[in-house]
Amino acid sequence: MDTIKGAFSRGNDDAAADEEEGFLAEVRKKAKLSYKQRLIGFGICFGIACLGAFLGVLFAAFSGGANTALLALFGIFFCISTIAAVCSTFFIVGPVKQVKQMLDVVKIICVIVFIIAFILTLCAAFWWTYVSGLAILFGIIQFVAIGVYAVTLIPYATTLIKTGVTKLTSLATSS
């Protein structure tokens, strides 16, 4: 029976599949980062994110809502900074695990709001320049969405924030 299967098979399919799996396993094994390397990668990406956000805010401040070139630079630098911020979290959580976690209810809402705000920030910076401050508003929405997303990555952070907000609101209403 094996000779009949051998006659009709392509011959090297099993060897090619084993070679491909061996290659992928080798890539996965070599792609492992140490804790120190993860922190360095996080620091570099987060530093780029902070620098891009600072430059974006600087361009927005100098544009005064009227200079369209500076407003376009705000959109570019601010969007680059948020992409770098997302990439920095890849080093902490891992890209595959993070993409799988994006389907969580709270996180998927943050991701959708972030993507929409990202696109609208660029549209407002490049094409809707006649509405002063619209790119900055979408940039703020984008920043809040990525901030809420980052908080959901930290265990028990949402519970801590909910408790803090509840205490603050009870203090504000009692005075």
Side-chain angles (χ1 to χ4, degrees):
M1 188 69 156
D2 288 332
T3 57
I4 295 173
K5 284 183 184 177
F8 289 107
S9 69
R10 293 185 182 176
N12 290 337
D13 285 348
D14 293 334
D18 289 341
E19 184 179 316
E20 185 176 323
E21 285 181 20
F23 174 73
L24 290 176
E26 186 177 334
V27 168
R28 283 189 199 112
K29 188 171 84 173
K30 289 186 179 184
K32 300 279 184 185
L33 297 175
S34 69
Y35 182 71
K36 183 179 178 182
Q37 291 170 331
R38 286 179 182 267
L39 286 179
I40 290 170
F42 171 78
I44 290 171
C45 282
F46 192 72
I48 291 170
C50 290
L51 179 66
F54 175 74
L55 289 174
V57 169
L58 199 63
F59 288 132
F62 287 129
S63 75
N67 191 341
T68 57
L70 290 178
L71 202 56
L73 285 174
F74 161 76
I76 291 169
F77 277 98
F78 199 79
C79 288
I80 287 172
S81 72
T82 55
I83 290 172
V86 170
C87 289
S88 71
T89 60
F90 285 167
F91 285 100
I92 301 297
V93 179
V96 175
K97 186 176 179 183
Q98 188 168 353
V99 169
K100 288 179 182 177
Q101 288 179 351
M102 284 182 184
L103 300 177
D104 185 33
V105 175
V106 174
K107 291 178 186 165
I108 193 76
I109 292 170
C110 292
V111 168
I112 290 169
V113 169
F114 170 74
I115 291 171
I116 291 171
F118 183 88
I119 293 168
L120 291 176
T121 301
L122 290 174
C123 288
F126 287 108
W127 296 290
W128 305 332
T129 55
Y130 52 87
V131 181
S132 179
L134 195 58
I136 297 169
L137 174 68
F138 290 136
I140 291 169
I141 293 170
Q142 185 179 349
F143 181 76
V144 170
I146 198 70
V148 171
Y149 178 78
V151 166
T152 62
L153 291 174
I154 303 168
Y156 303 110
T158 53
T159 307
L160 181 68
I161 290 173
K162 285 179 186 177
T163 306
V165 169
T166 304
K167 288 184 180 183
L168 282 175
T169 54
S170 67
L171 284 174
T173 57
S174 65
S175 5

